[in-house]
Amino acid sequence: MSDTPANTLSTRYTPAEFEQRLYAEWERSGLMSPPAEGGDRPTFTVMIPPPNVTGVLHMGHALNNTMQDIVIRHKRMSGFDALWVPGTDHAGIATQAVVEKKLFAEDGKTRKEMGRKAFVDEIWKWREHHGDVILSQLKRLGASCDWSRTKFTLDPDMAHAVRVSFVRLWEKEKIYRGARLVNWDCKLQTAVSDDEIEYVTQKSSIWTLRYPVKDSDEFLSVATTRPETMLGDTGVAVHPNDKRFGHLVGKKILLPLTDREIPIIADESVDPEFGTGAVKVTPGHDPADYERGHRHNLPIINILNKDGTMNAECGPYEGLPREEARKQVIAAFEELGLFEGEASITNNVTISDRSKTPIEPLVSEQWFVKMKELAQPAIGAVKDGTLNFKPKRWTKVYLDWLENVHDWCISRQLWWGHRIPVWYDEDNVPVASVEDLEIGAPHPQTGKPIVRQDEDVLDTWGSSWLWPFATLGWPEQSADMKRYYPTQFLSTGRDIIYLWVARMVMAGYELLEDLPESKRNPFSTCYIHATVLDGHGRRMSKSAGNGIDPVVMIDKYGADAVRYSLMILTREGQDVKLAENRFELGQRFCNKIWNVARFVLQNLQGASDLGQAGQVPQSDALEDQWILSRLAGATESVSTALDNYDFHDAAQALYRFTWDDFCDWYVEAAKRRLWDGEGAAEGSPEAASAAAARATLGHTLATLLKLLHPFTPFLSEALWAEVPEQLRGGEDMLMVASWPSVDQTSIDTAAEENFAQVQDAVRAIRNVRALLETPSSDKPSAVVVCGDDRSAANFQTQQPLVNFLARLETLEVRSDGSKPAAHGTDVFRGGSVFLPFNDDTDPAKLRGSLEKKLKKIEGGMRAIDGKLGNDKFLANADPEVVASERERRVLLETELATLQANLEGLAV
């Protein structure tokens, strides 16, 4: 515990003074790890989406991991056996590319010159030095993971799990090797899956070429965006109902620049409206042509090398880059008089998500997983409610992919990753094995010598899809597996719903056959978090240079300010626009908490009448009853929101209670009794009232710090150390203190209504003071005219409180409807308030001022009405802006009513 007395706490919260020290204390305590025995407590498990080992923390990570930390801290405090498993992904393509580039820049060596073992050894060295950077940055954010269970997807136990999964699927004949058209990254020289490509719209050209028909004077014109691929054409297709070409179907084309004859075929997939209505068919280099070729038994000709240059099939064009070959093929067609022309178009180009270079469809021998059967239980999990997406709309994305799933190409032509556990004998007969097979050892099936292991590695997702259970010890039935699987919560981004989420669900159902089907689904809730955009609504990226470094923001504003700002700004289902100055919101909130805690702790020093920890104080004071009722309501709101993963709603409820209820109203109201109690005789009403105020302040602060902890862990933990032991109840570390329960007996509707009426009257008095320009040092006498006896009784009782908050000398309460003359006025729920004119008030001048303000307000209301009545504005503006405009109009209406009431009074 801190030895710093509360009255020496600095006047401003300085995060750097606390964050590193407090995180070290959390780590030393071991409390981020669950106890060895969970007892009969319910378990709650979160698996971190493993960031790439090459990665550094970006705002998407900060948002997602803040959400996960909020969940795990809340569950830990709520008595759950809570586990949050961290780790990193080996990120095959990304990591190999980074190290390959580094080695070439430093030593001028390529990986092929180095050899596989030496190159992989270099990557392991790089990983040892740089691989855990992002994990240390997560600690800066306050992530309370169980670091003793940190996993890396190439750890030996993870590698064993990967091999077991591969062999099991092999034995079920759900993995196969075959020649298929794949997405080929010519820069990285590896296959990539359909889920690792993106489509970029760009301006391009379409060229029309003339193909001569054999034994005829006719030509068939075809339009293409890839003239160079005509060297691989094995057919020309037309629609069977296209009368223009019906007489040509079945005839042959003499393919220019080659010695081949290719057939003219009829296929319903051809769009008669596209180009000339006839399309060249290149099964080796186009997905649609691959399917057409398969239907018509056309041969496949591959015209490209792995690096994207033209191969030996291209004759004189061999060795040329694709772009140069294109130019030369067009020139050759022009020379032959077979070139019809070129037109500009806009089309979608397929780009590798990894290298950002164009994808080349290429027929290649690859490994595949059969997906149709695996998808069925994953589809069922959503449909029967076992798996729930939040927001629900992402369910459709998940189901659309699974219901139209294709076989998964799982092999990559890389060296960094899980090498495919398949070995071959001298006749190239494959066998899969969990254990290494020695070269020269007999093949388990043929008995012939093993000569080699497969050169390829698995797609990175081929290990990541095992993450929820491999991290817990699978395929062994470990204690962790029994205790913590299945997990309850996964938070991730929309872009990997099918890359990762769907595959994890499939893996759970397919591989965990020893579990009941009801326990195979890896997580019950999949939360799809918002995408963080820049202030202009653009996605943050390195290339755009518009990213905001969360570590820099933590250095500047503090981790809690970053965490809280992200939560308060992010609404479910809406992307968040973020500029650096938005973190000032969280910073102001943290400073507000610090300052109110400092005030409360100063007033609790030396007090022995604070009650017991967690026990709600008893008090006759309206303000005490009100804040305790509001505290119970806030506790219920925050708890419910967190249980439902409504992070913004929880943050908003905390803000309103902390700033509006506690700081702006209750603390100000309590000052009157605290001051009155100073020097009061022991046992006097003033002393008793001050004691009740202190007890209420202490209980409210202690409870509030618990509610704040998941959002602002450092600040709340630092202040908890200053809370008197009497209120901590032996809970020395807030991270594992008990979550507040809702005391239903504290919810006092009558107290809330009465205090709300006091608040309204005080606001109204303050409005009139401003209207009359009454100096803040003046304490005028006021009149409140009540519309009913209940309101009048309330104000009679609360006269001292209203006088204190509104800075009045006296308050006269009337219930007969009589209104004083020469007074400024405002209305509130249940009545009106009146303040006398000042000695120097000039009614005519006041009228002119009020009329000028009235016109300004009416103009402002018209402007807002114009916006809110504009469908284009409502459709395009941020929801926050629309809501703000509506709130502003309500405020202007209130102000307008006040001005009109005062103008009417001046007319009397």
Side-chain angles (χ1 to χ4, degrees), residues 193-484:
S193 72
D194 290 342
D195 313 309
E196 296 172 305
I197 61 176
E198 55 190 47
Y199 297 95
V200 177
T201 301
Q202 65 179 35
K203 292 181 179 179
S204 183
S205 293
I206 187 167
W207 292 268
T208 303
L209 311 177
R210 300 172 72 211
Y211 286 179
V213 179
K214 184 180 179 183
D215 298 328
S216 169
D217 294 332
E218 288 189 77
F219 293 87
L220 193 55
S221 297
V222 296
T224 178
T225 58
R226 300 285 306 278
E228 73 281 8
T229 63
M230 58 78 50
L231 298 167
D233 285 0
T234 56
V236 174
V238 297
H239 194 277
N241 297 330
D242 194 332
K243 295 178 180 178
R244 294 174 294 174
F245 308 116
H247 67 291
L248 295 177
V249 173
K251 293 189 175 184
K252 300 281 188 179
I253 288 290
L254 297 173
L255 188 64
L257 311 186
T258 74
D259 296 325
R260 295 199 303 277
E261 295 180 5
I262 60 176
I264 301 171
I265 60 174
D267 193 279
E268 291 187 349
S269 68
V270 176
D271 179 3
E273 302 298 322
F274 176 78
T276 65
V279 295
K280 56 193 284 301
V281 181
T282 319
H285 297 285
D286 182 273
D289 289 352
Y290 182 82
E291 297 298 330
R292 291 180 184 125
H294 181 71
R295 286 193 292 272
H296 297 276
N297 296 313
L298 299 179
I300 296 174
I301 298 175
N302 175 28
I303 62 168
L304 293 178
N305 295 312
K306 301 296 185 184
D307 63 358
T309 58
M310 312 305 284
N311 66 18
E313 292 283 351
C314 302
Y317 306 104
E318 182 181 1
L320 292 178
R322 288 161 291 177
E323 296 76 10
E324 180 58 31
R326 183 177 305 162
K327 293 176 184 177
Q328 293 196 21
V329 165
I330 292 170
F333 267 76
E334 288 178 327
E335 194 172 319
L336 293 170
L338 299 175
F339 181 71
E340 280 195 10
E342 175 185 354
S344 296
I345 62 167
T346 299
N347 65 342
N348 286 329
V349 177
T350 311
I351 299 294
S352 168
D353 184 48
R354 300 298 184 181
S355 67
K356 304 303 180 186
T357 57
I359 283 291
E360 192 63 62
L362 199 68
V363 173
S364 176
E365 283 275 337
Q366 300 290 338
W367 288 95
F368 296 87
V369 175
K370 297 177 182 177
M371 299 290 272
K372 290 286 186 186
E373 187 179 336
L374 270 63
Q376 298 315 304
I379 292 170
V382 161
K383 291 190 172 179
D384 67 17
T386 304
L387 169 61
N388 293 286
F389 278 85
K390 187 175 177 70
K392 286 189 176 296
R393 71 172 186 272
W394 296 110
T395 304
K396 185 177 186 302
V397 174
Y398 171 90
L399 287 176
D400 283 351
W401 185 78
L402 284 173
E403 289 169 350
N404 298 281
V405 72
H406 298 290
D407 286 356
W408 174 18
C409 177
I410 58 168
S411 47
R412 298 291 181 270
Q413 289 63 55
L414 303 171
W415 288 351
W416 175 246
H418 294 278
R419 193 167 177 179
I420 289 176
V422 171
W423 284 260
Y424 301 87
D425 69 6
E426 57 192 18
D427 294 328
N428 221 31
V429 177
V431 62
S433 173
V434 173
E435 305 301 328
D436 282 347
L437 298 182
E438 291 186 16
I439 303 301
H443 190 290
Q445 295 165 3
T446 67
K448 295 183 178 181
I450 295 289
V451 296
R452 66 184 179 91
Q453 183 182 355
D454 199 287
E455 291 291 322
D456 291 349
V457 300
L458 284 172
D459 176 11
T460 294
W461 304 106
S463 53
S464 298
W465 77 325
L466 311 178
W467 186 253
F469 46 89
T471 50
L472 296 175
W474 184 87
E476 309 304 323
Q477 266 304 310
S478 65
D480 273 1
M481 188 69 186
K482 293 175 182 176
R483 182 174 168 185
Y484 291 113

Side-chain angles (χ1 to χ4, degrees), residues 126-158:
W126 181 91
R127 189 258 169 182
E128 292 303 315
H129 285 92
H130 304 284
D132 292 333
V133 168
I134 195 166
L135 298 184
S136 64
Q137 291 176 326
L138 286 174
K139 293 180 181 182
R140 290 289 313 276
L141 187 68
S144 58
C145 302
D146 180 356
W147 300 107
S148 69
R149 284 179 167 87
T150 301
K151 290 292 182 182
F152 178 51
T153 51
L154 284 179
D155 284 344
D157 55 344
M158 299 290 286

